[in-house]
Amino acid sequence: MSRKFPGDYTSGWLFNTSRKFVPEEGVLSSELPLVPAQYRVELDVPGSGRIELPGYRLKNGVLLLYITPSYRVTFPGDVLEAGNLEDYAQVSLKPLENGFEGAITLNLQKAGYADLLLLGKMVEDIVFFGSEQGRFTYEFIREPMLIISHEKVLSPQGLQKAMSGFIGLSGHGKFTLRLSVGKAREEMDFSVGIGVE
């Protein structure tokens, strides 16, 4: 006989997969163009998150989803600062073809470290963490991808496996950078659009 005591609990992961294909137009062709289009991938361990990919749905339910990397990163300013006289951090930012790079300058007296996080709608990713100044680079997916699946079996976990275990943020839309040092915190919203060829 087993008994449950107040405070007993079990742990585990709860997944709820929602699949939705939003048709834009029909195509009658033997060739399907894979032109750059907006996408968004936010995946955390172990495959939880959100994935929005362009693609084609065949009549039998087979999905051809793709990523054709093309980015235009736009920051409202090139510097993000947080802190006070005792603990201070400054980040300089520069857009790259596939993401962004920067340098962080620190003055730490009480705080043990500073961190810079990239925040999406559901997932956050560490861009920089440390107690000494340094440089960083954050790149979105840079290689084209074609994922073939079926609408009934498609899942974030399966896509994460197909993407070689990708964990993080990539794609287009609004993102937020959060710089923290000690108890001080500042944020900067920025956008990623499709790059101009």
Side-chain angles (χ1 to χ4, degrees):
M1 176 177 179
S2 69
R3 292 181 54 190
K4 285 226 162 232
F5 295 97
D8 279 1
Y9 65 92
T10 58
S11 64
W13 294 100
L14 175 63
F15 290 103
N16 179 14
T17 301
S18 172
R19 301 171 187 92
K20 182 167 53 169
F21 186 83
V22 181
E24 290 183 1
E25 61 182 270
V27 177
L28 294 173
S29 174
S30 60
E31 295 182 12
L32 299 175
L34 304 180
V35 298
Q38 288 195 354
Y39 79 93
R40 184 82 169 224
V41 174
E42 297 191 19
L43 284 173
D44 206 343
V45 179
S48 60
R50 183 180 183 100
I51 299 169
E52 298 172 10
L53 297 177
Y56 299 94
R57 180 188 175 277
L58 306 182
K59 287 185 178 182
N60 60 4
V62 170
L63 298 174
L64 305 173
L65 307 173
Y66 69 91
I67 295 174
T68 304
S70 177
Y71 311 103
R72 187 184 76 251
V73 179
T74 306
F75 294 110
D78 57 359
V79 174
L80 177 60
E81 301 171 315
N84 52 41
L85 294 175
E86 293 179 329
D87 296 304
Y88 175 79
Q90 179 182 36
V91 174
S92 62
L93 298 163
K94 178 182 173 188
L96 296 174
E97 181 180 359
N98 293 306
F100 57 91
E101 67 179 1
I104 186 163
T105 305
L106 301 173
N107 178 27
L108 303 179
Q109 294 180 18
K110 290 187 176 179
Y113 62 89
D115 64 53
L116 182 65
L117 300 178
L118 178 62
L119 309 176
K121 296 175 184 174
M122 300 181 71
V123 174
E124 60 185 46
D125 200 3
I126 298 171
V127 176
F128 176 89
F129 179 90
S131 58
E132 296 182 11
Q133 63 186 24
R135 299 191 63 77
F136 58 84
T137 301
Y138 193 95
E139 290 192 331
F140 297 126
I141 294 171
R142 58 185 300 153
E143 297 296 325
M145 290 187 184
L146 176 63
I147 299 166
I148 302 171
S149 187
H150 192 278
E151 62 185 359
K152 292 184 179 178
V153 298
L154 185 66
S155 71
Q157 299 86 357
L159 281 173
Q160 187 175 41
K161 186 175 180 182
M163 297 169 71
S164 302
F166 176 85
I167 297 173
L169 303 172
S170 187
H172 303 92
K174 300 287 185 187
F175 293 92
T176 301
L177 282 172
R178 177 186 295 156
L179 176 62
S180 300
V181 56
K183 294 182 179 179
R185 175 184 292 178
E186 292 294 332
E187 294 184 350
M188 175 190 288
D189 294 333
F190 69 99
S191 63
V192 179
I194 296 176
V196 178
E197 295 290 322

